[in-house]
Each structure stands twice: as structure tokens, then as C-alpha cells.
């Protein structure tokens, strides 16, 4: 039996009052079949459900808009925020499939034909997009103080000086059964809880949004996090196949091939791809010998990559096949590189992230999504299995509800579902495999569109989607040693959500700006 250990960790942590209400939200105006959104506060009385069998009998497309300004650098960006629902319709049938809740931020008085638009979503599966929406590059962000756990809660919401609104319009969209998104009968939420069905309904949402808001000519980007990167690879191929050309995709903390990540399934396989992450984490806690300075971390991690490939992985393979013990020399190198004690290496030579997370520091649980965050074993912060997630969840739940009603004038009686239960019944099969390998999907999209650019952004301290596993997966696309000009990989101090780290967010914004410039100038 296959157990989705890494993803299960996440689980621990209306009626239309006006005729013809439309999708709204695009700079450049709405099409004739989508009247403007209301500009007054909107009380959506529909009760939304994240249950597997839930569906809406019908769905109205109602949105509310607000006008805002933000200063980014020395630029004042005036923008419109649009919150509400849009119906995804079948590509061939045109039948309604799901009512997607989204919040779009579009620059005012911009040329829709040249203004980039980016569709942004989290993963899970079952996660809403509140994490990216209020944490990364939208106009507002929560001040978490990450990786410390001493910030006052709920976290304050502030203007985001690193917002991407100076570069691109942004559409934050929640997957079916999360946030306030729900299937439309005869479909149920469960209908779209699978790798292929999920990507198809996202394709239909993107295409509908582009059509309703006259954005078909806009340069288009996708930005997915975690399982959202799995979705992105499949979605990019589906969009390109349907004739929607993309300029670029951003992979935040990618899991592109579940079969290469030893922390995802219980099937025995080498965890060598995690070793450079273990090294970075050991260095953070000053357990490596010698521990590198922050400036020397990239070089230290590079040495760990070499150790993982040339010595640790062959030794693990031999250990798994014949139970051959590692040499004393290799054990010493591993201890010095990671700070992980000898007894641990002797007990379980093929170190999986669960084992590392609970035993690196005796009596302490380190975070899975950000290993720099830790808590005493048995404490409230450690109770759900990941202090780096537990510390964030309550504030995100509180603030997203407040933000929608207070800032965006959208209210609803339903509880906004931060993380739903889709993962429990998700169909992970894809291309005749029990677990998805989406590198072929990304390769197909890049074949259909040779100009398509990919940016992979990774945290050194992320135990859930380790950066070296992602590097090795992307190497299958000809990116070995970075020799594919269409693929860039960047690394930052931080965990799964690198953007929560103040220094990493600034560096990541600079890399994103450069990426967009390169993608938009590609001939």
C-alpha cells in the first residue's frame, strides 16, 4: 500500500441579486456576455462545501470590485481587486463544471494585449491559495517573522513592497473543494479530485477567465506551489494543446515526480536526493562540522550534492540490495556534513525526512516545510507534526476571512476552507502510473511551445520537496548543469514557502522580475 506521508502532513496542520452578473476582473474590460461586477459590498448567501460529494445545483457569476493603490519601489500602482466566482465550462461541451472562487488584481489603465497575467494557486491537494495570496507577491502580505515563532498572532496584514503587481496582473484561484470553490451538478467535488481531472478543470477556468475578460492576447504565466507544480506541468501541456500559448511557468517548491521523492511514499527507495537539504539544515543548527557561514552555504550545499551523488547514493543502493554496511569513512563524512548522529546513521542508513525531522535534535521536532522552525517534542506547536505549519495556519484562517470581507467587500456565511480533505480520496494516477511523473507533460508543453520558460524556486531548508530532487527531475529536460536556456533554478534560505522569509522574498522578487523580462523578450 502506498502512503502519501509528505502530503498528509498538510492535513495535520450564491444567490444572484442582479440580472446578468459577470466574471469581471480584467484590465481591458469585459466581454459582452460578462457585465461589469458590482462596486458595492456583496453578500454572497450561497453556502459552499468542501465535502467530496458536494455540488451546487447552479452557480451565479458574481464579483465585487474595489479600487486600490500600492507603492512598489518608487512606482505607484493603481489597481482593481475583483473577488467572486467564475464558472469553468467544458472545453468541448461548454457545460458548467465548477464554480471557482478567485481574487484578481489588475493594473488600471493598462493595455490588456501587452500586460502579463499570472494565474496563481497552491497545492495540497486540497489546499486553498490563501498561502500564496497573503504570503507571497500579492498586494498584501502577512508579517510572520519566519523562521521565528515569536511574532504576535494573528499576524498583521501590510502592504507588500515585493508585490508582483508592478510586473503582472495576478489571479489567485482556489481549487475545487477548497477556499470557496465547489463543483456544479451533476459533478461533485470528488469529480475533480485527481491529477488529470483537476488539471482539466483548471484549464477550463483559465480559458474561461481569458475569454470573459478579453485577456486572450495577454502574455500568460502560471505560478504553482508544491502539488500546484504537479498541476502546472499537466496544465501547461493541456493549455498549449488547446492553443493557449504560455510565456512562462514558475514552480515554487516543486514535486514534479512523486516517484523520485522518498518522503512521499513508503516504497523503499534511496533518499540521497534529500542529503543536501539535511546538510543545509544541519548547518542552520550549527551541527555541521565545520558549520558554514550563511554566505558559504551555497558552496557547502554544492559539496553535499557531490557527496550524495558520488558516494551516498551508491552506498544506499548497495545497502538496500544486500544490507552492506557503509564504510567508516563515509559515515564520518555524513556526520560532518549533516550533524546527524552516528547512532542514527547506523540504525537507518537510508535516512528519510520523517526520521531526520524527529531525531536531528533530541527532544525537539523540526519543521517539515521549514526545518529552521522547531519546537519541543510534546509541545502544542509540535502536536500536529510540523511546527512550521502549525504556527501559520490559525493566522491565515483568520486573516483571509477578514481580508475578503473588510478589504475586498466580499462576505459569505461559509467558512473559508484553508485546507480541505481532498488528499484523502485523491486519484494520484497519471499516465498509467500509480503516482504522477509530470516531467513528460512539461517536456510536451515545451515541445509545443519552444519559447516556454520555466523558473524553479527552492528553499534550502524544505524537507517536503527537497531542492536536489527537483534539480535531478529537471535534469531530464536537458537541464543538467543548467545548460537548458529555457530552465532556470534558484535557491534561497528558507523552507517550502521561501517568500515568508524577508531576505528570500526580496531576492525572489528580483529573480521573478528578471524571469518575466526574459520570457517577454524571447523571440
Amino acid at each position: 500500500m502506498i502512503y502519501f506521508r509528505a502530503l498528509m502532513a498538510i492535513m495535520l496542520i450564491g444567490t444572484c441579486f442582479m440580472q446578468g452578473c459577470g466574471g469581471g476582473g480584467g484590465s481591458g474590460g469585459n466581454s459582452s456576455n460578462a457585465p461589469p461586477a458590482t462596486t458595492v459590498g456583496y453578500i454572497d448567501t450561497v453556502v459552499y462545501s468542501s465535502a467530496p460529494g458536494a455540488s451546487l445545483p447552479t452557480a451565479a457569476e458574481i464579483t465585487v470590485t474595489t479600487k486600490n493603490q500600492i507603492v512598489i519601489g518608487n512606482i505607484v500602482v493603481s489597481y482593481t481587486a475583483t473577488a467572486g466566482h467564475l464558472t469553468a465550462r467544458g472545453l468541448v461541451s461548454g457545460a458548467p463544471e465548477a464554480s471557482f472562487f478567485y481574487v484578481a488584481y489588475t493594473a488600471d489603465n493598462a493595455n490588456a494585449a501587452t500586460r502579463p497575467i499570472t494565474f496563481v494557486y497552491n497545492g495540497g491537494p486540497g489546499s486553498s491559495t490563501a498561502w500564496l495570496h497573503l504570503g507571497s507577491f500579492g498586494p498584501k502580505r502577512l508579517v510572520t517573522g519566519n523562521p521565528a515563532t515569536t511574532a504576535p498572532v494573528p499576524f498583521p496584514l501590510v502592504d507588500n513592497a515585493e508585490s508582483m503587481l508592478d510586473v503582472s496582473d495576478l489571479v489567485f484561484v482556489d481549487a475545487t473543494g477548497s477556499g470557496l470553490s465547489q463543483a456544479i451538478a451533476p459533478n461533485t467535488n470528488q469529480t475533480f479530485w485527481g491529477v488529470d481531472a483537476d488539471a482539466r478543470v483548471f484549464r477550463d477556468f483559465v480559458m474561461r477567465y481569458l475569454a470573459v475578460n478579453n485577456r486572450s492576447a495577454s502574455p500568460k504565466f502560471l505560478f504553482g506551489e508544491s502539488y500546484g507544480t504537479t498541476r502546472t506541468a499537466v496544465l501547461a501541456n493541456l493549455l498549449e494543446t488547446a492553443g493557449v500559448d504560455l510565456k512562462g511557468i514558475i514552480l515554487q517548491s516543486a514535486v514534479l515526480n512523486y516517484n523520485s521523492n522518498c518522503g512521499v511514499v513508503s516504497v523503499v527507495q534511496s533518499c540521497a536526493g534529500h542529503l543536501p537539504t539535511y546538510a543545509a539544515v544541519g548547518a542552520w543548527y550549527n551541527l555541521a562540522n565545520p558549520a558554514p557561514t550563511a554566505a558559504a552555504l551555497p558552496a557547502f550545499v554544492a559539496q553535499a550534492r557531490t557527496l550524495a551523488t558520488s558516494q551516498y547514493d551508491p552506498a544506499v543502493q548497495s545497502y538496500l540490495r544486500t544490507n552492506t554496511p557503509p564504510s567508516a569513512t563515509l559515515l564520518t563524512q555524513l556526520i560532518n556534513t549533516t550533524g546527524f548522529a552516528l547512532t542514527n546513521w547506523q540504525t537507518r542508513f537510508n535516512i528519510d525526512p520523517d526520521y531526520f525531522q524527529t531525531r536531528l535534535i533530541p527532544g525537539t521536532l523540526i519543521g517539515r516545510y521549514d526545518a529552521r522552525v522547531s519546537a519541543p517534542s510534546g509541545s502544542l506547536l509540535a502536536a500536529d507534526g510540523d511546527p512550521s505549519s502549525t504556527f501559520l495556519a490559525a493566522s491565515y484562517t483568520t486573516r483571509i476571512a477578514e481580508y475578503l470581507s473588510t478589504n475586498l467587500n466580499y462576505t459569505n456565511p461559509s467558512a473559508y476552507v484553508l485546507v480541505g480533505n481532498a488528499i484523502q480520496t485523491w486519484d494520484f494516477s497519471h499516465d498509467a502510473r500509480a503516482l504522477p511523473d509530470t516531467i513528460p507533460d512539461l517536456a510536451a508543453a515545451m515541445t509545443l511551445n519552444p519559447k516556454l520558460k520555466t523558473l524553479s524556486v527552492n528553499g534550502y531548508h524544505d524537507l517536503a520537496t527537497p531542492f536536489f530532487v527537483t534539480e535531478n527531475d529537471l535534469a531530464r529536460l536537458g537541464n543538467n548543469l543548467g545548460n537548458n536556456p529555457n530552465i532556470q533554478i534558484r535557491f534561497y534560505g528558507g523552507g517550502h514557502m521561501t517568500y515568508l522569509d524577508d531576505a528570500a522574498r526580496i531576492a525572489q522578487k528580483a529573480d521573478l522580475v528578471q524571469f518575466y523580462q526574459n520570457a517577454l523578450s524571447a523571440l
Side-chain angles (χ1 to χ4, degrees):
M1 181 177 180
I2 297 172
Y3 298 90
F4 303 95
R5 297 190 313 230
L7 295 179
M8 283 302 291
I10 292 181
M11 301 305 296
L12 300 174
I13 358 192
T15 302
C16 183
F17 296 107
M18 342 177 215
Q19 294 296 319
C21 296
S27 57
N30 300 320
S31 63
S32 58
N33 66 343
T38 177
T39 56
V40 297
Y42 169 50
I43 301 175
D44 180 0
T45 62
V46 175
V47 177
Y48 298 96
S49 172
S50 63
S55 64
L56 299 168
T58 59
E61 296 181 318
I62 308 174
T63 57
V64 59
T65 62
T66 54
K67 295 291 186 178
N68 309 270
Q69 281 189 338
I70 187 172
V71 178
I72 306 173
N74 57 359
I75 300 174
V76 177
V77 179
S78 298
Y79 67 93
T80 299
T82 303
H85 286 83
L86 186 70
T87 297
R89 295 183 174 274
L91 180 64
V92 176
S93 68
E97 298 172 318
S99 181
F100 277 88
F101 181 76
Y102 73 96
V103 178
Y105 301 99
T106 54
D108 295 338
N109 303 314
N111 183 347
T114 58
R115 171 74 171 170
I117 185 168
T118 304
F119 294 90
V120 189
Y121 38 81
N122 277 93
S127 175
S128 71
T129 300
W131 310 100
L132 283 165
H133 189 178
L134 297 187
S136 65
F137 302 103
K140 301 285 186 180
R141 70 172 181 87
L142 293 177
V143 181
T144 67
N146 196 69
T149 57
T150 55
V153 293
F155 307 131
L157 188 68
V158 301
D159 284 349
N160 187 2
E162 287 77 53
S163 174
M164 283 293 293
L165 266 177
D166 57 335
V167 175
S168 174
D169 291 341
L170 303 169
V171 182
F172 294 90
V173 55
D174 292 327
T176 309
S178 73
L180 297 171
S181 295
Q182 190 172 335
I184 301 172
N187 304 294
T188 65
N189 288 337
Q190 184 70 59
T191 303
F192 305 109
W193 286 359
V195 174
D196 295 316
D198 167 82
R200 284 194 295 267
V201 77
F202 261 83
R203 172 201 61 195
D204 298 340
F205 168 81
V206 169
M207 294 182 69
R208 183 93 203 290
Y209 182 95
L210 295 172
V212 165
N213 293 286
N214 290 334
R215 299 304 298 266
S216 296
S218 302
K220 305 163 196 68
F221 293 79
L222 303 178
F223 189 137
E225 176 178 310
S226 196
Y227 178 82
T229 66
T230 311
R231 175 186 297 132
T232 292
V234 183
L235 175 58
N237 187 32
L238 291 176
L239 286 170
E240 293 290 346
T241 301
V244 179
D245 280 345
L246 301 169
K247 285 291 186 179
I249 62 175
I250 298 97
L251 306 173
Q252 172 83 46
S253 305
V255 54
L256 297 170
N257 178 12
Y258 276 52
N259 306 277
S260 63
N261 187 325
C262 82
V264 173
V265 297
S266 61
V267 177
V268 177
Q269 62 183 30
S270 172
C271 293
H274 286 65
L275 185 67
T277 300
Y278 299 158
V281 175
W284 172 262
Y285 289 104
N286 292 313
L287 298 174
N289 184 25
T293 63
L297 182 61
F300 179 74
V301 164
Q303 294 174 352
R305 287 186 182 95
T306 300
L307 178 63
T309 302
S310 63
Q311 298 185 58
Y312 181 52
D313 187 52
V316 167
Q317 300 292 354
S318 179
Y319 175 80
L320 295 176
R321 287 193 308 268
T322 65
N323 204 31
T324 303
S327 68
T329 300
L330 177 56
L331 285 173
T332 298
Q333 288 179 285
L334 293 170
I335 294 167
N336 289 339
T337 300
T338 65
F340 208 39
L342 174 62
T343 54
N344 292 321
W345 291 108
Q346 292 174 328
T347 302
R348 186 181 299 188
F349 182 56
N350 188 33
I351 303 295
D352 62 80
D354 287 344
Y355 192 76
F356 185 83
Q357 183 187 2
T358 56
R359 288 169 176 80
L360 177 65
I361 305 172
T364 299
L365 178 69
I366 64 173
R368 188 181 192 91
Y369 289 98
D370 190 338
R372 302 174 306 167
V373 180
S374 63
S377 300
S379 66
L380 287 177
L381 200 55
D384 291 334
D386 185 353
S388 67
S389 177
T390 300
F391 183 61
L392 301 174
S395 287
Y396 270 86
T397 300
T398 298
R399 291 305 191 206
I400 187 65
E402 292 177 350
Y403 178 65
L404 292 177
S405 61
T406 302
N407 296 71
L408 301 184
N409 293 336
Y410 174 93
T411 57
N412 180 268
S414 311
Y416 182 94
V417 179
L418 191 70
V419 179
N421 60 0
I423 193 172
Q424 296 177 345
T425 54
W426 194 266
D427 181 3
F428 282 91
S429 63
H430 178 63
D431 284 350
R433 302 191 69 167
L435 292 173
D437 174 7
T438 64
I439 292 295
D441 298 88
L442 187 50
M446 296 176 74
T447 299
L448 289 168
N449 180 3
K451 299 178 182 178
L452 179 61
K453 306 291 186 183
T454 297
L455 173 65
S456 172
V457 291
N458 309 267
Y460 282 126
H461 307 95
D462 177 6
L463 288 172
T465 58
F467 62 87
F468 192 46
V469 173
T470 298
E471 287 182 89
N472 289 333
D473 287 339
L474 290 174
R476 293 165 53 197
L477 295 171
N479 195 53
N480 190 31
L481 301 178
N483 55 12
N484 185 333
N486 285 340
I487 300 176
Q488 300 174 33
I489 308 179
R490 297 292 182 266
F491 311 94
Y492 314 97
H496 204 64
M497 296 182 279
T498 51
Y499 44 80
L500 295 184
D501 183 286
D502 290 341
R505 185 178 58 258
I506 293 171
Q508 188 172 340
K509 167 65 186 289
D511 287 337
L512 284 167
V513 170
Q514 186 63 55
F515 174 73
Y516 274 73
Q517 290 175 347
N518 291 342
L520 294 171
S521 64
L523 299 178

